[in-house]
Amino acid sequence: MGKILQNKRNCAFCGIDMHKEQHTAVLIDCWMKKLGEITFENRPQKFDGFIREAKKLSEDKTLIFGLEDTRGFGRNLATYLKAHKYIVKDIYPALGNAMRLSSPTVEKNDAYDAFCVARILRDMVDKLPDTKNEDIFFTIRQIVKRRDSIKKRGIILQSQLHDALMYNYPSYRKFFCDIDSKTALCFWENYPSPGCLSGIKLEDLAETLRKASNNACSTKKAQAILSLIAEDGEVKKAYQQERDFIIQGIVKEIRYLKQELTAIDTELRRLIQETGYKLQTMPGIDVITEAQIISDIGDINRFPNADKLARFAGVAPVLFSSAGKGREQRSRQGNRNLNGVLYFLAIQMIQVSRGGKARHPVFHEYYKRKLAEGKRKPQALVCIQRRVLNIIYAMMKNKTEYQAPNL
């Protein structure tokens, strides 16, 4: 590849703006002369025709492709181009956006976006990373997205359940610790309103709760629930049957989502084992956290060192200076999802128990040392994030387990 790029005059740079239904490609030469524009459908059957047309427009120059979205809509095209031995570069969306905004007259259309990608490809072809489409990281990313959508749906359903129960059981919060626990869901489904308990004996209710809770709930719990219902008084309203139907439907959907989450977590454990990473050996990282980290980072070999990964995660300082004066400031850029995961990990690392004992003495001591140096708490917390990220990078790079450092 180095020999090919030594003479850019013999190269044609093809920037592609990716979309769900169709892609738009613009070809330019090393002098930024537009060689042509191609619009084609996002279907593997249309890729051969796209390549033929691109070769005609490039006038026998070496084709180099830049794709702005190789993790989403452009994945199929990137796989096709790599399989046919073409040079394919990954263009970060932030670079394309900066290129658009740098123009005196800001434009926004598919052809201009593709042209901006082609310009970035021409200017930074030696620095841009090669596209890598590892199926396992793509699959983990898709499953994590699926899990996040289910969790959001579950939060919405919990809110709906709260609203529905408030009208039927004014004291429903005192019935169970969690309204979506296994025992609570069984109770709401069988008795969505006080009228459903009419004629139900105390022992019958207690038996229902015992079965749902694996004998954790006793007759005392059933008596407490009935006493709270009696204290609430009469709450029956019109269309009570329809209201009960709503609650039962919400309960069934919550139960289904819980089963889906269990199945997803099992699948994530299996996939993570295939990657060879062992991040769960580090305190504070469970299977979900590790899946989120892998989803955002992908193949760790994309980053030559921990500094590059820190820039990607937004935990590396950014220098703002002019005329030789300036200072480093906290970065607001980078992958914010990964930054958020590192933030909560850093919080856990400096936590102190009620007895005053630090959960992780080494990180807690490092945090106090940064405060003693004059850093504010948010700044010291960023230092913890960076230290945690360095350890994660080494663990992923070498596929090793976590080893607690000595104080």
Side-chain angles (χ1 to χ4, degrees), residues 4-277:
I4 294 176
L5 297 180
Q6 284 178 359
N7 190 353
K8 291 186 178 181
R9 290 178 297 178
N10 296 327
C11 297
F13 303 94
C14 181
I16 306 177
D17 185 41
M18 324 300 294
H19 291 284
K20 183 177 182 180
E21 305 252 335
Q22 66 179 21
H23 302 329
T24 300
V26 170
L27 286 83
I28 64 174
D29 59 16
C30 65
W31 294 281
M32 277 204 318
K33 176 185 176 183
K34 187 173 179 180
L35 301 177
E37 177 183 331
I38 308 171
T39 299
F40 59 101
E41 296 182 39
N42 184 16
R43 291 191 297 163
Q45 293 179 346
K46 301 296 182 179
F47 295 164
D48 287 334
F50 160 65
I51 291 298
R52 287 194 298 268
E53 193 169 351
K55 286 182 177 179
K56 291 179 182 178
L57 294 174
S58 64
E59 300 174 352
D60 296 329
K61 291 183 174 65
T62 301
L63 279 171
I64 303 176
F65 296 91
L67 278 64
E68 193 176 24
D69 183 19
T70 57
R71 293 188 173 191
F73 300 139
R75 178 175 173 78
N76 289 335
L77 179 59
T79 303
Y80 171 88
L81 294 174
K82 294 289 288 185
H84 287 74
K85 309 301 181 181
Y86 286 103
I87 300 174
V88 186
K89 295 292 185 175
D90 197 0
I91 309 295
Y92 299 125
L95 294 176
N97 185 55
M99 179 64 71
R100 284 192 297 270
L101 296 178
S102 65
S103 175
T105 303
V106 179
E107 300 181 42
K108 185 67 177 76
N109 55 67
D110 296 344
Y112 186 69
D113 290 346
F115 177 75
C116 290
V117 172
R119 283 190 58 185
I120 295 169
L121 180 64
R122 187 207 66 158
D123 298 338
M124 304 178 62
V125 65
D126 298 316
K127 298 180 180 180
L128 292 171
D130 293 329
T131 296
K132 295 182 179 179
N133 291 327
E134 294 83 359
D135 290 334
I136 187 168
F137 299 118
F138 176 78
T139 304
I140 291 175
R141 189 177 305 111
Q142 294 299 106
I143 294 179
V144 169
K145 288 182 179 180
R146 168 67 176 161
R147 192 183 192 281
D148 290 342
S149 65
I150 290 177
K151 288 290 291 183
K152 291 178 182 178
R153 178 59 183 165
I155 294 173
I156 294 174
L157 288 173
Q158 283 187 20
S159 178
Q160 293 176 354
L161 185 59
H162 275 288
D163 294 340
L165 292 175
M166 180 179 63
Y167 296 105
N168 294 346
Y169 295 106
S171 302
Y172 75 96
R173 291 180 179 272
K174 300 179 182 179
F175 290 7
F176 306 97
C177 295
D178 298 317
I179 68 165
D180 62 342
S181 66
K182 184 178 179 180
T183 308
L185 292 178
C186 177
F187 180 83
W188 309 133
E189 185 175 21
N190 288 281
Y191 313 109
S193 63
C196 299
L197 288 165
S198 179
I200 301 297
K201 298 180 180 179
L202 174 63
E203 189 54 39
D204 294 337
L205 176 59
E207 181 64 23
T208 300
L209 297 178
R210 276 194 290 268
K211 288 182 179 179
S213 63
N214 295 325
N215 295 322
C217 291
S218 62
T219 306
K220 184 177 179 181
K221 168 60 75 173
Q223 182 61 60
I225 291 175
L226 293 176
S227 299
L228 289 170
I229 294 174
E231 293 175 3
D232 290 338
E234 182 64 35
V235 294
K236 186 175 181 180
K237 297 180 178 66
Y239 301 102
Q240 188 62 55
Q241 184 176 357
E242 288 75 14
R243 297 173 185 271
D244 295 348
F245 171 77
I246 293 174
I247 292 177
Q248 290 172 335
I250 295 174
V251 168
K252 291 177 182 177
E253 192 169 355
I254 290 177
R255 187 179 288 120
Y256 168 75
L257 293 182
K258 285 179 173 290
Q259 294 173 353
E260 281 291 293
L261 288 177
T262 302
I264 286 175
D265 293 348
T266 302
E267 200 66 23
L268 284 175
R269 289 189 184 91
R270 184 183 64 81
L271 288 174
I272 289 173
Q273 287 181 351
E274 293 185 18
T275 64
Y277 297 143

